[in-house]
Amino acid sequence: MGDCVSRFGKKSAVELAMVGLDGSGKTTILYNLKKKDFWNVKRTVGYNLENIRVRNKTFNLWDIGGVKNIRPLWRYHFIGKHGVIFVIDSSDVRRLDEAITELWNITKDPVAKNVRILVLANKQDKSGAIKPDDIKEKLTKENTFKNIEWEVMPASALAGHGLKKALLWFRPQT
Ligand code: GDP
């Protein structure tokens, strides 16, 4: 983590990889932050990259496809990144365990050793969405993150709620 912070530098961009199951809302998040047309979002096969400026800081946000057969490739995108945003579709209770298993795989992977992980509990606007506190409690109980700095935050990508705050969580403390 110390290395990670010192690598930020004052002018350099914060490099973030955004992963999560397909359909969790990653591309919608990216395009909402970039104010692009996100009403016609198509499935991401490889990755989308945008640089986003928030409070005088540039964030390079890599939206990486989440379809099952390409998930083993996520790890290559963690190299050289300061952090990972793991997006969860909070309204999809059925796939919560699948999402958490993928999160587990990341936390156990040595390539993600020095990255901070933000779990973004997306689709909070939908009725029945699991609350971030409940996700946090589950992850804490299961001891998912050992020696990793992490947090859970709410978001609604369609409305744009919680997105900038999520990026700012990675901003280096100066
Ligand atoms: P990705 O596969 O993770 O990139 O997911 P997409 O960005 O393609 O989103 C999948 C679907 O979820 C799309 O129909 C989006 O409009 C919808 N979606 C994404 N974020 C939200 C959200 O915060 N609230 C609601 N209600 N729908 C969302």
Side-chain angles (χ1 to χ4, degrees):
M1 197 34 226
D3 281 358
C4 192
V5 170
S6 60
R7 273 195 292 129
F8 274 124
K10 268 200 170 157
K11 284 188 182 151
S12 57
V14 179
E15 302 286 338
L16 299 176
M18 181 164 59
V19 294
L21 302 189
D22 46 302
S24 54
K26 301 177 294 297
T27 309
T28 309
I29 290 169
L30 186 74
Y31 289 165
N32 191 308
L33 279 164
K34 200 63 189 178
K35 297 294 169 224
K36 281 193 176 174
D37 178 10
F38 56 90
W39 298 108
N40 193 18
V41 165
K42 295 194 179 65
R43 173 171 283 188
T44 307
V45 178
Y47 66 85
N48 303 303
L49 168 65
E50 296 287 353
N51 55 73
I52 295 150
R53 196 108 178 121
V54 184
R55 289 207 207 149
N56 279 338
K57 190 80 203 165
T58 301
F59 297 84
N60 287 335
L61 187 56
W62 304 69
D63 155 31
I64 300 156
V67 182
K68 192 162 188 167
N69 61 344
I70 59 171
R71 287 179 209 158
L73 302 178
W74 286 355
R75 63 192 306 270
Y76 299 104
H77 291 274
F78 301 152
I79 299 164
K81 300 293 188 299
H82 299 108
V84 170
I85 299 181
F86 190 93
V87 183
I88 288 183
D89 177 345
S90 315
S91 69
D92 192 354
V93 182
R94 212 173 33 90
R95 293 218 293 168
L96 184 63
D97 283 342
E98 185 186 349
I100 289 179
T101 302
E102 295 295 350
L103 190 52
W104 255 100
N105 292 339
I106 297 173
T107 63
K108 282 184 291 180
D109 193 326
V111 297
K113 192 165 66 116
N114 287 323
V115 300
R116 304 166 77 194
I117 299 181
L118 178 67
V119 179
L120 204 54
N122 191 34
K123 306 196 187 181
Q124 286 298 314
D125 57 292
K126 290 183 95 173
S127 68
I130 311 159
K131 296 283 163 241
D133 282 353
D134 294 334
I135 295 175
K136 190 168 187 175
E137 195 184 323
K138 191 169 166 63
L139 295 173
T140 306
K141 253 193 211 148
E142 293 174 7
N143 203 8
T144 309
F145 301 95
K146 287 197 188 105
N147 306 318
I148 291 179
E149 196 180 340
W150 67 287
E151 188 51 272
V152 183
M153 286 185 181
S156 173
L158 277 186
H161 294 158
L163 305 185
K164 287 185 178 169
K165 196 173 172 189
L167 294 186
L168 290 171
W169 184 75
F170 291 97
R171 200 169 52 165
Q173 309 298 320
T174 47

